[in-house]
């Protein structure tokens, strides 16, 4: 009885099928990572813009209310958010003034909806399928102007 040779075609179909499944999972995981990275960059940019606007006013010797208003102006440059990436929210603002240093601190949070949450292995999420990204910036001004000193030049 002649021995039949196995067809190599059967193995190659299984290998191609497995490779396609792995590439699909890799593509879906890449989509998750892409959304998270874009959201982190977006949140950082808004927080940084806000602290720079506040620092500009603080360097001019403006009072705390004007500095905080300038910080809130950093939100003017950001969009309304979308389906996956929410609008950044201010969670903390501090303007501490002493005789030799003025410290401004701003923290923003952005909520991100994960496109494919079943690929996220972290089970400690507050809301399933969503993560919260946080950015904090601090700006120290040494030897600050006396508050209100910026207004005296206008008189």
């Amino acid at each position: 009885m002649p021995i039949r040779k196995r067809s190599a075609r059967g193995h190659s179909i299984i290998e191609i099928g497995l490779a396609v499944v792995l590439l699909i999972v890799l593509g879906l995981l890449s989509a998750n990572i892409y959304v998270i990275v874009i959201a982190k960059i977006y949140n950082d940019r808004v927080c940084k813009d806000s602290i720079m606007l506040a620092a500009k006013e603080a360097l001019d010797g403006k009072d705390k209310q004007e500095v905080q208003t300038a910080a809130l102006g950093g939100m003017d440059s950001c969009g309304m958010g979308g389906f996956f990436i929410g609008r950044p929210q201010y969670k903390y603002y501090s303007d501490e003034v002493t005789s030799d240093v003025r410290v401004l601190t701003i923290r923003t949070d952005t909520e991100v909806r994960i496109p494919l949450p079943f690929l996220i292995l972290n089970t400690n999420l507050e809301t399933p399928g969503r993560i919260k990204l946080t950015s904090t910036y601090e700006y120290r001004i040494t030897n600050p102007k006396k508050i209100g000193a910026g207004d005296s030049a206008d008189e």
Side-chain angles (χ1 to χ4, degrees):
M1 191 176 218
I3 299 176
R4 289 185 154 187
K5 290 188 173 184
R6 288 179 127 186
S7 171
R9 200 171 34 177
H11 287 292
S12 66
I13 290 174
I14 292 172
E15 290 170 355
I16 289 173
L18 185 61
V20 167
V21 169
L22 289 175
L23 285 174
I24 289 172
V25 170
L26 184 62
L28 297 176
L29 186 60
S30 297
N32 281 353
I33 292 170
Y34 176 77
V35 168
I36 293 169
V37 168
I38 293 299
K40 182 64 176 164
I41 291 169
Y42 177 53
N43 192 41
D44 280 345
R45 189 199 68 196
V46 170
C47 192
K48 186 176 182 180
D49 288 351
S50 296
I51 196 77
M52 294 309 291
L53 289 170
K56 181 180 178 298
E57 294 296 313
L59 286 168
D60 289 340
K62 303 289 180 157
D63 66 359
K64 289 185 176 191
Q65 186 61 40
E66 289 176 292
V67 172
Q68 186 174 10
T69 302
L72 292 173
M75 293 292 285
D76 294 342
S77 66
C78 74
M80 292 303 296
F83 184 75
F84 290 114
I85 302 172
R87 182 179 170 95
Q89 303 288 320
Y90 283 112
K91 293 299 178 181
Y92 180 76
Y93 172 82
S94 172
D95 184 359
E96 298 174 12
V97 181
T98 63
S99 61
D100 59 338
V101 69
R102 185 172 187 172
V103 180
L104 301 170
T105 307
I106 295 177
R107 185 177 77 219
T108 57
D109 289 350
T110 299
E111 189 171 281
V112 181
R113 183 178 295 172
I114 305 298
L116 301 158
F118 62 89
L119 292 176
I120 301 295
L121 301 177
N122 187 354
T123 58
N124 295 330
L125 299 177
E126 292 176 14
T127 307
R130 295 175 188 238
I131 61 172
K132 188 178 291 186
L133 301 174
T134 301
S135 294
T136 303
Y137 278 86
E138 182 177 280
Y139 195 94
R140 292 180 170 274
I141 302 169
T142 54
N143 300 323
K145 288 184 181 179
K146 184 176 178 185
I147 292 180
D151 296 333
S152 63
D154 296 335
E155 295 176 2

